[in-house]
Amino acid sequence: MALPTSPGETRALDAELAADGLKASTRQKVHIVFRSVVRLAVGAGMLAAVPAFPRIPRVGRKMVRPFHRDDLDAILVKAAPQARLAFALAAFAGLRAGEVRGLRWSDLDLKSNTLTVRRALTRGEATTPKSGDQRVIPIAGPLRLLLEAADSSRSSPWASVAITALGKSWGESGLNQAFKRAQRRAGRSGLCFHDLRHFFVTELFRKGIGAPTVQRLAGHAELSTTQRYADMTANDLRAAIALLGNGEATGEESN
C-alpha cells in the first residue's frame, strides 16, 4: 500500500479503517503512528514536507450504561453455576475479566472475609492488575455464599477460583459469551461482561460511598476514572429532581 501523502488520501485511509469495523479509538492510534512515520520519512529526506493532515478521529467520552440489581439477579438466576461465580466476582467485588481469570484460592481468606487481587490473566500470561497495584476487597454476602459452595470442590490452593464446567480456566472470550447466553435467557440485552464491573462501581455510588473509597475498591489508577461512574443514570436523575418538589416552598404567594 502506498504511503498517503495528501489530506484526501489520509481521509480515504480512515474511511477504509472505519469500513473494516475499527473503533474511533483504534483508528486514532493508527493515525498517530502513521503521522510519526511520515515525520520520520521527512527527516530522512524521503518526503519533501509533512502534508496537511485532516483532524484525527475524535474519541467521545463513554457513558456508563444503566445496570441495576434486578437485571443482575435475573441474569445470575439464568447463569450456569460456574459462570455465576465468575459473574459474582465482577459484580460484587469489581474484578475485571482478566482478574477473574487470575484469581487463585490462595488469594482468598474466608476467615477474614477478604480477597486480594494480585494478578490478571490475559492470553495465558499472568500480569499485574491494570492499575499496577494489588488491592484487598471485603467479600460481599452474595459472593461469599457462592465461594463457600465452590470451596469444597477446589483441587488446590493454587487452583483458579473461577473455572468452566469442564474444570478449565476461562478463555479470553469465554466469560463474555457465557454472560451473553445468560443475558438472553433472562430476557435482557445490550450488556456485556464488563458491565458487571460497572454495576459494582455505580452501586457503591448509589449507596453513598465516597469516590476515594470506590477508587481503592475498583482499582482505578486515577480518581477521574472513578468519578465518571458518579454520573447517575437517567432514572436516578429523574428521581433526584422529583425530590425537589416534595413539600418545598416555591416562593410564590398562595391565593
Side-chain angles (χ1 to χ4, degrees):
M1 176 179 172
L3 193 67
T5 57
S6 70
E9 291 176 342
T10 307
R11 280 191 287 269
L13 170 62
D14 185 63
E16 290 180 13
L17 296 175
D20 288 338
L22 273 66
K23 296 179 180 179
S25 57
T26 303
R27 286 157 41 217
Q28 185 184 76
K29 294 174 184 176
V30 171
H31 280 277
I32 291 172
V33 172
F34 164 68
R35 291 174 191 218
S36 298
V37 171
V38 169
R39 291 187 178 95
L40 288 173
V42 172
M46 299 172 65
L47 289 176
V50 176
F53 294 117
R55 181 178 296 177
I56 290 177
R58 296 183 62 182
V59 181
R61 180 180 175 184
K62 291 183 178 179
M63 296 297 293
V64 178
R65 74 178 65 191
F67 189 4
H68 292 276
R69 184 59 187 266
D70 58 341
D71 298 310
L72 175 63
D73 290 342
I75 291 171
L76 290 178
V77 166
K78 296 297 183 180
Q82 290 79 9
R84 188 178 301 127
L85 175 56
F87 298 168
L89 286 167
F92 296 117
L95 271 63
R96 302 175 178 91
E99 294 168 348
V100 171
R101 291 191 293 268
L103 191 69
R104 304 289 181 261
W105 284 104
S106 57
D107 300 324
L108 271 63
D109 187 341
L110 294 181
K111 289 184 179 180
S112 66
N113 204 48
T114 59
L115 66 83
T116 303
V117 181
R118 294 188 170 94
R119 71 188 66 79
L121 196 63
T122 304
R123 297 181 179 86
E125 296 291 331
T127 63
T128 59
K130 189 174 181 179
S131 65
D133 299 320
Q134 299 181 12
R135 65 187 189 277
V136 178
I137 304 171
I139 299 173
L143 174 58
R144 183 180 177 90
L145 292 175
L146 295 172
L147 289 171
E148 288 175 341
D151 183 44
S152 60
S153 60
R154 65 173 176 168
S155 57
S156 77
W158 299 278
S160 298
V161 173
I163 55 177
T164 68
L166 298 177
K168 299 181 181 297
S169 298
W170 289 95
E172 290 300 307
S173 61
L175 287 173
N176 203 41
Q177 291 173 354
F179 181 79
K180 288 187 178 297
R181 287 194 295 270
Q183 181 182 194
R184 286 195 298 270
R185 296 189 195 108
R188 267 57 174 184
S189 63
L191 297 166
C192 66
F193 181 83
H194 195 69
D195 286 317
L196 292 165
R197 176 172 159 83
H198 291 175
F199 167 83
F200 173 77
V201 178
T202 54
E203 191 71 1
L204 290 175
F205 276 119
R206 289 179 185 128
K207 300 299 184 184
I209 308 303
T213 300
V214 177
Q215 179 189 11
R216 290 184 61 185
L217 290 170
H220 289 148
E222 302 292 338
L223 185 60
S224 58
T225 302
T226 310
Q227 198 63 44
R228 178 167 62 90
Y229 290 85
D231 295 335
M232 301 171 72
T233 65
N235 287 336
D236 292 331
L237 289 171
R238 282 193 288 268
I241 294 299
L243 293 176
L244 296 178
N246 288 347
E248 298 293 336
T250 64
E252 295 182 356
E253 294 183 2
S254 53
N255 294 330

